[in-house]
Amino acid sequence: MAWQALAAHARAPQPHLRERFAADPQRFQHLSVAWNDWLLDYSKQRVARDTMPLLYALWKAADVSTWIARMRDGDKINHTEGRAALHIALRHGKGTFMHGGRDVMPGVRAVLDKMERFVESIHGCHWRGATGEPIGDIVNIGIGGSDLGPRMATQALAAHRHPGVRVHYVANLDGADLATVLADLQPRTTLFVIASTTFTTQETMQNAQSARDWLVAELGAAAVARHFVAVSTNLTEVARFGIDAENVFEFWDWVGGRFSLWSAIGLPLALAIGFRNFRELLAGAHAMDQHFFDSPPAENLPGLLALLEIWNVDFLGAETRALLPYSQSLALLPRYLQQLEMESNGKPVDRKGRPLQCAVAPVLWGEAGTNGQHAFYQLIHQGGRLLPCEFIAMREADFPLPGHHEKLLANCFAQSEALMRGKTIDEVRAEMQAAHIPESVIACLAPYKTFPGNQPSTTLLLPRLDPHNFGALVALYEHKVFVESCIWNINPFDQWGVEYGKQLANRLLPIMAGKASAADLDGSTAGLIAYCKE
Ligand code: F6P
C-alpha cells in the first residue's frame, strides 16, 4: 500500500524545484532537520511536503523499527551466513551488550585496552624493532573492509595525526602498490599490520608474504616477531603465518568486513591519531547510534537519507548518486561508501531468495569538491540525466589557511543552487544583452548557456571534522544502508557476489602456470591467457 501510494504520488505532475521554492517560502524550514550542531537540508530534493508522510509510511510498512530492535538484540539478521551484525557493540562504551546469552562487552573492552597499550608502546618508543630502533612507519596490509575504513579515516583525521609515526596502506595485488610504499621505508623502523578477517584473502596474503620477504632479507627471520602484528578472527591461520599469538588483535564473526572500522581493524587509524582520538571516534559513532535508535523517521538523519534515496531510485528512476564532500580530508569517503553501500545493498534477491521487484543500491560515485567541478560537473549540470547529489561540508576548516574555507563553502552552496535553479534561455538572453553582446552572438550561444536545473541534492553540514563528528558521520551511513535494506527486504551483511570472481581466479592460476588445461575455457579467456604467455 505505502509503495503504491508513493508510485501514484510520483506519477502526478511534479513542479520544477525553483517553482517549489517560489511557492513555499518556508520550504527550507520544513525540509531540513538539525541534530546536535549538524544540519541536513533536503529542501533541494524533488519532494513536496506531502511526499514525506508517504515515505514515513514506507518505513512503518517495512517494520524498520522491528529490524532495528533485532539488530540490537543480536539476532542473526545476516541469515545467509548465520551471523549477527553487532558493529554497534564495538562502540557501545559502558554497560552490557548481550549476544547469544553472553555479554560481549568484556571481550570488546579487553581488545580495546590491548590496542591502547600497543599504540602507546609504539608512540612512547617502548616497542622497538629488532635492531632496537623505534618504529617510525606502519604499513597496514589489508583489502576491502580491512583497508578502506582505516585508510579513509586516517586521511579524514589528518589534522589530528600523532606526529611520531607515518601510516601507509597497501591493498592491491599489483606489486606496484607494495613496492612503491616500501621504496621509501627502512625495515629496521617499519612495522606491518596484517589485517584480514579470514586471513586467507589472496591479495592480503600475497602482500604479507612479500613484505615478510623484504624484511627477512635485511633483518633475518627472527625479526618477524618485532615487525609484524595481525588483526584477524582466524587465529590458526595467523599462527601459520608466523605471527606471535601475543601480537594478534582479535575480533569476532559478528563484525562484517565493511562495518569493522570500530574493531581492531581500526588499529592503524589508532596508531595514526592516538588512542584518545580513537575513543572519541567510537563515542561519536555511539552518539549517532542513539540518535538512530531513538528518533522518529521525520527527525532520523540516517532514515531520511535512506528514504530520499529510495524515492530517487525507485520512484523517480535515478540510477546513481554523486557523493560530493567539500573537504579534501574526506576525499576517500566516496570510495569507502562504494563498498559500504554497493557491497551491502547490491543484491539480486530478497530475504526469502525471491528475485527483487524493485531497483536497489544505485551506483555511488564522487570526488572531493572543488576538484569534481573541474571534471564531471558539466554532465551533472547539462548532461540531461537525473543525477541526485549529496554535498557534505564543514562550517569550520580542519586546516584553516586564510582565504580558503569561505571560498570552498561558497562553491559548495553555489553548486547546489545552480543544480536546483538552472538558468532559462530568457535569463541567459537578458544576461547577455546586459553585457552588450550582439544579438547574432546571443542567438548562437544562448542554447549552450542554458541549464535545465531541477537536479535534486541534499546538503549535510557538520560543524567540523573532528574524531567525534567523523565517527558519527560513518555510523550515519551504516544506518542509512541498513534502513534501505529493510525497505528493500534484502540482507545487507553478506557479499556472495564477490566470491565467484575469487573462485574463478583460483581456477585460472594453474592454467596460467601451464599446470592445467585451458580446454574448458571460453574463447576469450583462453585467448587472453595464450596472448600473455606468448
Ligand atoms: O570484498 C569481499 C570481502 O569479503 C569484504 O567484505 C572484506 O572486507 C574483504 O573481502 C576483505 O576480507 P578479509 O578481511 O577477510 O581479508
Side-chain angles (χ1 to χ4, degrees), residues 180-195:
T180 51
V181 168
L182 295 188
D184 295 330
L185 307 185
Q186 298 298 329
R188 301 184 319 275
T189 51
T190 301
L191 178 105
F192 293 94
V193 178
I194 313 300

Side-chain angles (χ1 to χ4, degrees), residues 408-466:
L408 184 69
L409 287 183
N411 270 278
C412 176
F413 302 154
Q415 288 300 326
S416 72
E417 184 190 5
L419 291 172
M420 179 276 284
R421 287 177 56 82
K423 201 191 268 186
T424 66
I425 197 150
D426 290 343
E427 286 171 333
V428 174
R429 283 178 167 287
E431 212 175 82
M432 293 177 87
Q433 279 159 357
H436 307 294
I437 293 169
E439 274 305 321
S440 59
V441 177
I442 296 179
C444 176
L445 284 187
Y448 295 94
K449 290 172 157 263
T450 302
F451 292 72
N454 208 28
Q455 192 74 282
S457 73
T458 295
T459 301
L460 182 62
L461 212 45
L462 271 60
R464 68 195 71 79
L465 198 58
D466 55 21

Side-chain angles (χ1 to χ4, degrees), residues 301-311 479-481 483-484:
L301 263 52
L304 282 166
L305 287 180
L307 293 171
L308 291 165
E309 176 131 287
I310 288 172
W311 170 246
H479 295 317
K480 167 194 178 275
V481 164
V483 173
E484 289 175 344

